Amino acid sequence: MAVGTNSGADTGKEVPALAGVPLLGSLFDLKSDSLGTYLRAQHRHGDLVRITAGPPGMRAELYCVFSPAGVQQVLASDAARFRKDNHFYQEVRESFGNGLLTSQDEDYLRQRRLVQPLFTRRRVDGYAEAVAAETDAVIASWGAAPGGVVDVSDEMMHLALRAVARILFGTDVEATAGVVAECFPVITDYVLRRGYSPANVPRHWPTPGNRRAAAALDELYGVCDRIIAQRRSAGAGAGAGADAGAPGEDLLTLLAAARSSDDGEFDASELRDQVLIFLLAGHETTATSLCFALHLLARHPEEQDRAREEVSRVLDGRTPGAADLDRLPYLTQVLKEAMRLYPAAPVIGRKAVAATRIGEHTVPAGADVILAPWVTHRHPDYWPDPDRFDPDRFTPEAEAGRPRYAWFPFGGGPRACIGQHFSMLESVIALAMVLRAYSFEAVDTEVPVGAGITLRTNGPARCRIRRLDTP
């Protein structure tokens, strides 16, 4: 019988269960430290573990898949059996719309076909100048840092938001970045509370939490709808190769102009959904990768010096561009290792729509399935001394010796992140520029984190910075 096609007749071995407390199972463990709970489950019971949480009648059963082979089944080879139908995705969908992250079936395929031409390597490479400009602005602001200390978590969030807003909205970046920075935390916290709660009051009830979230959504939707209407009324064309910040050349204008004979075009509501998803996925994920790349380099001066030497040698004082990605292999390895240790999407959920054999066990139809890059990226079978920072894990030779899904910060299969090249482009350019301008020494040697929609820092990630004489 082929792996991944079992209909349930041969259920295999019983899926081991993580022990919890009577009646509530692992509810409190998941609420207080979900990432640590998933790690403990893998260490104690292996690569497929069942975790129960909640009281009888509202109990969730999570089937956690930790092996690269199992991850590949869920995301790629058996992807049709695992859908984004779970409670958490529904909450994301209701706040951030039915864009590429949350849509399914024909909606998703149509959206992907319309959006794909805007994320070709050539098109994305054209965003490098906008990223460099926003990075320059952040570097300049650090000259006034009190005591020469910056919180790289806050600073990289600001940089990534400004960059993606500029690429999306062009000359309207000033009108949008502030609204997004103010409204997104309110909305994401609201989604998290509802997404992880077994029961919620209806969204239309006038509770304080509902009213705060509704006000933030109204403000965010309003600014997006206003700019979309302006683009539509202006009828701006989409030329090729121009600055992403120029009128008519931002990503929103290109999205508004995207059409095909088979798929039509996006209406105003669909455009807003795509914009909100790009804002969500496009700034928090990249900010996380940059934050922890700097945090790790600040704790490891030899690796920091090695990365800076490569940047200085390759760039020789000029501003980095898209062509430099392939010329900065060690810097890329640093980023990949940061994304291994601190994946921006530390947990990925799916709903099994058919019983599926994974290894020696069967995941039943209807089960909530958890993939955890946080755990798989630390799997001792593929990552010796897994908590150690070592960018040389990502030399071409080392990568070739590991399974494809031992490292999957951008997901995989038919729903792999469409923006992964943009994320790497932005991260390499920004990291090269800040390392050339400043040295970093960790003030906070440990940064607590937790799983939100993306990985969240639960404390500061401060670094002491020193301006360098290099150009």
Side-chain angles (χ1 to χ4, degrees):
M1 186 180 305
V3 171
T5 59
N6 190 294
S7 63
D10 176 13
T11 58
K13 295 182 178 179
E14 182 178 358
V15 177
L18 183 67
V21 299
L23 296 179
L24 297 178
S26 298
L27 177 65
F28 294 122
D29 288 339
L30 289 171
K31 280 185 173 292
S32 63
D33 182 13
S34 60
L35 300 179
T37 301
Y38 295 136
L39 268 176
R40 187 167 67 255
Q42 196 278 330
H43 290 163
R44 291 182 180 178
H45 299 294
D47 288 336
L48 203 160
V49 183
R50 181 170 55 88
I51 300 178
T52 60
M58 292 190 294
R59 178 165 295 166
E61 280 200 331
L62 308 177
Y63 285 75
C64 305
V65 179
F66 300 126
S67 69
V71 171
Q72 183 166 356
Q73 277 189 250
V74 174
L75 293 182
S77 56
D78 282 336
R81 292 169 171 259
F82 299 93
R83 295 168 52 83
K84 293 188 172 184
D85 283 339
N86 61 26
H87 173 57
F88 185 81
Y89 272 112
Q90 184 57 35
E91 290 296 332
V92 176
R93 191 176 291 116
E94 290 191 26
S95 287
F96 290 102
N98 196 41
L100 274 176
L101 178 68
T102 51
S103 61
Q104 300 195 101
D105 304 324
E106 184 51 40
D107 280 347
Y108 173 77
L109 294 174
R110 173 178 170 269
Q111 291 175 19
R112 184 96 182 195
R113 289 192 297 265
L114 285 169
V115 171
Q116 188 70 58
L118 310 185
F119 282 86
T120 63
R121 190 180 185 99
R122 185 182 70 83
R123 173 65 72 178
V124 169
D125 286 351
Y127 302 144
E129 186 176 341
V131 172
E134 294 298 337
T135 306
D136 259 337
V138 168
I139 290 171
S141 74
W142 287 352
V149 173
V150 298
D151 185 337
V152 294
S153 177
D154 291 343
E155 295 295 316
M156 293 302 101
M157 191 67 76
H158 172 76
L159 168 58
L161 173 56
R162 290 276 311 184
V164 76
R166 178 170 175 169
I167 289 163
L168 267 171
F169 299 113
T171 53
D172 287 302
V173 60
E174 300 300 339
T176 56
V179 172
V180 174
E182 180 181 345
C183 295
F184 256 55
V186 176
I187 300 167
T188 54
D189 285 348
Y190 179 69
V191 168
L192 286 174
R193 287 195 302 271
R194 293 179 65 88
Y196 288 124
S197 174
N200 291 300
V201 301
R203 284 181 172 232
H204 66 270
W205 285 15
T207 65
N210 281 352
R211 293 171 66 181
R212 281 193 301 271
L217 283 169
D218 285 346
E219 187 172 2
L220 185 61
Y221 287 5
V223 71
C224 291
D225 289 346
R226 176 179 57 79
I227 296 172
I228 288 168
Q230 291 172 351
R231 293 293 194 280
R232 281 276 163 90
S233 64
D243 178 8
E249 289 303 326
D250 53 70
L251 185 55
L252 175 56
T253 297
L254 299 177
L255 283 167
R259 59 181 53 86
S260 75
S261 57
D262 293 330
D263 298 311
E265 61 184 344
F266 291 125
D267 63 28
S269 176
E270 290 175 315
L271 269 178
R272 185 221 290 154
D273 288 351
Q274 300 305 331
V275 166
L276 292 176
I277 289 298
F278 290 151
L279 283 170
L280 173 66
H283 88 273
E284 291 193 354
T285 54
T286 302
T288 297
S289 300
L290 283 169
C291 164
F292 283 106
L294 286 172
H295 168 70
L296 288 162
L297 289 175
R299 291 173 50 201
H300 297 85
E302 290 186 9
E303 286 77 5
Q304 183 181 162
D305 289 344
R306 182 176 169 188
R308 183 176 294 108
E309 185 280 326
E310 180 184 74
V311 169
S312 299
R313 173 170 41 82
V314 171
L315 298 182
D316 193 24
R318 61 180 173 79
T319 299
D324 292 308
L325 264 68
D326 293 335
R327 299 171 185 154
L328 296 167
Y330 187 72
L331 198 66
T332 302
Q333 290 170 211
V334 167
L335 282 161
K336 288 183 173 181
E337 177 70 342
M339 288 187 278
R340 180 186 73 84
L341 287 166
Y342 297 97
V347 179
I348 299 170
R350 291 291 189 269
K351 175 79 78 172
V353 297
T356 304
R357 183 74 173 265
I358 296 180
E360 298 180 325
H361 310 288
T362 292
V363 174
D368 284 307
V369 176
I370 294 294
L371 308 178
W374 184 267
V375 178
T376 306
H377 288 186
R378 289 169 166 77
H379 199 301
D381 289 353
Y382 309 101
W383 306 102
D385 194 7
D387 292 323
R388 178 171 55 89
F389 174 62
D390 180 8
D392 284 330
R393 298 181 197 270
F394 288 92
T395 63
E397 298 77 16
E399 288 191 286
R402 286 190 297 269
R404 160 65 183 84
Y405 285 88
W407 184 80
F408 59 111
F410 299 108
R415 298 200 63 131
C417 175
I418 198 172
Q420 57 186 289
H421 177 58
F422 169 66
S423 179
M424 292 303 298
L425 173 85
E426 181 179 2
S427 298
V428 169
I429 288 175
L431 189 58
M433 293 178 69
V434 299
L435 284 177
R436 185 174 61 186
Y438 284 95
S439 66
F440 294 80
E441 178 188 353
V443 174
D444 299 301
T445 56
E446 299 296 329
V447 179
V449 297
I453 297 177
T454 56
L455 189 71
R456 313 179 78 174
T457 55
N458 292 331
R462 294 169 297 178
C463 292
R464 182 167 290 105
I465 58 173
R466 180 174 62 84
R467 183 81 196 195
L468 301 173
D469 294 332
T470 53

